[in-house]
Amino acid sequence: MLVTSKELLLDAQKKGYAVGAFNVENMEMVMAVLAAAEETGSPVIMQTTPGTLKYAGTDFYLANVRAAAERTKLPVVMHLDHGNSFALAMEAFRRGYTSIMIDGSKLPFEENIALTKSVTDACHPGNVPVEAELGRVGGKEDDLDNGDENPYTDPEEAKEFVKRADPDSLAVGVGTSHGVYKGVPKVNVDVLTQIRNVVDIPLVLHGTSGVPDDQVRDCVSRGICKVNYATDLRIAYTKGVRKYLEDHPDDFDPKKYGIPGMEEVKKYVIQKMEVVGSVNRG
Ligand code: 13P
């Protein structure tokens, strides 16, 4: 069933686990993430960035995720990841996305509040929850390039931001980056704890591909309720497809090489569902 992220993340917050949020690029990735959720009994969030939406649009992705949700009794959320404008947030909201992120983190503080509040004001009457971001996640997420800039979220600012902009969850800058890490990342868990101490809505970890599992578990124990994985799913899917095509250079049926691609994604997602603690929480 397709549900909003609101109850899911509040349950995770109450019970001390997190829900995995997985970026899907095509029908095969949607099917693979669903298969992982079914195998582990996990609630699951599937999400698309503006860059992904340029490829096929909110209508195609929502139709795929809705079909997945109708095949399972587990809770499935369709989330807009890094919504970069009021217009895109509203498009996803009207289309039927069940969770919306508006990312004003590149804007000055007051402008981020104003943009986020405009989206929460529009979505809350329709009971659709909103994720906001304060502080920066480094690296490149589709068209959104934060380079190496990686300032941490200021806990006092976070407290004021949540009070005034009224988001349902908050993505925080604690040292992670989108994309492939050059070395081993080190999450600043002290900053995370300081934020948790003054902000009582579910917190979200971005840029988690490549973050060691023990650090992710530590973050979950300190209040992270949603953990985003994108890059590693793309790598997993492509690895499966590439290997198949290398081994079978004469094959041309997309169904044939889609299967090993899906298997790699499913394997990866199952392992991450175990790490974030969502197994049997659906
Ligand atoms: P990664 O690509 O580093 O996994 O980041 C995912 C993410 O945060 C999506 O918003």
Side-chain angles (χ1 to χ4, degrees):
M1 36 174 188
L2 198 60
V3 300
T4 79
S5 56
K6 179 98 181 176
E7 285 75 27
L8 234 56
L9 297 186
L10 288 176
D11 188 69
Q13 184 178 20
K14 199 165 86 190
K15 297 178 183 159
Y17 67 97
V19 181
F22 302 98
N23 287 68
V24 289
E25 311 289 345
N26 59 17
M27 182 183 77
E28 286 76 10
M29 292 172 81
V30 172
M31 287 166 68
V33 173
L34 174 69
E38 286 273 284
E39 192 152 317
T40 58
S42 287
V44 68
I45 298 169
M46 300 203 214
Q47 54 188 21
T48 53
T49 60
T52 299
L53 292 172
K54 269 195 209 156
Y55 180 64
T58 51
D59 50 352
F60 260 69
Y61 286 108
L62 181 61
N64 276 281
V65 173
R66 202 189 287 283
E70 283 170 3
R71 283 189 182 189
T72 182
K73 291 199 163 56
L74 294 164
V76 177
V77 173
M78 177 83 246
H79 177 76
L80 174 67
D81 188 26
H82 290 291
N84 54 4
S85 66
F86 180 78
L88 181 61
M90 289 307 99
E91 185 197 320
F93 170 69
R94 290 196 195 100
R95 185 76 70 187
Y97 271 52
T98 55
S99 183
I100 302 285
M101 178 181 188
I102 183 72
D103 181 359
S105 62
K106 278 194 150 175
L107 300 171
F109 185 66
E110 288 296 329
E111 287 175 42
N112 188 0
I113 290 179
L115 176 64
T116 302
K117 184 77 168 66
S118 69
V119 174
T120 57
D121 281 349
C123 291
H124 284 169
N127 291 322
V128 172
V130 176
E131 175 183 330
E133 180 167 324
L134 184 68
R136 293 277 171 79
V137 178
K140 193 167 181 335
E141 174 75 43
D142 287 323
D143 300 337
L144 190 81
D145 191 353
N146 283 332
D148 292 331
E149 197 182 350
N150 209 353
Y152 299 128
T153 302
D154 179 280
E156 282 310 311
E157 275 192 6
K159 183 178 170 187
E160 185 183 343
F161 182 89
V162 167
K163 199 163 152 214
R164 291 175 57 200
D166 197 25
D168 302 271
S169 59
L170 185 68
V172 290
V174 288
T176 54
S177 286
H178 294 118
V180 179
Y181 288 96
K182 290 190 190 101
V184 179
K186 182 93 188 73
V187 179
N188 190 329
V189 288
D190 294 332
V191 171
L192 181 55
T193 296
Q194 286 163 22
I195 299 167
R196 173 78 298 160
N197 286 342
V198 292
V199 170
D200 67 355
I201 59 173
L203 301 176
V204 181
L205 187 66
H206 279 244
T208 322
S209 293
V211 176
D213 291 341
D214 58 337
Q215 290 192 42
V216 176
R217 284 191 201 95
D218 193 9
C219 289
V220 172
S221 76
R222 292 166 187 259
I224 289 291
C225 304
K226 172 174 178 272
V227 182
N228 286 9
Y229 293 97
T231 303
D232 277 351
L233 270 78
R234 295 181 193 137
I235 291 173
Y237 183 70
T238 305
K239 180 180 156 196
V241 171
R242 187 176 280 138
K243 167 95 175 51
Y244 182 89
L245 289 176
E246 277 167 7
D247 293 346
H248 306 83
D250 296 329
D251 274 9
F252 53 81
D253 182 346
K255 296 190 287 301
K256 291 254 173 77
Y257 55 79
I259 290 169
M262 286 193 276
E263 278 164 3
E264 289 294 333
V265 172
K266 181 181 167 192
K267 197 165 63 183
Y268 179 84
V269 172
I270 286 175
Q271 198 263 333
K272 294 309 171 193
M273 286 172 161
E274 285 162 0
V275 169
V276 304
S278 66
V279 174
N280 291 330
R281 303 282 192 175

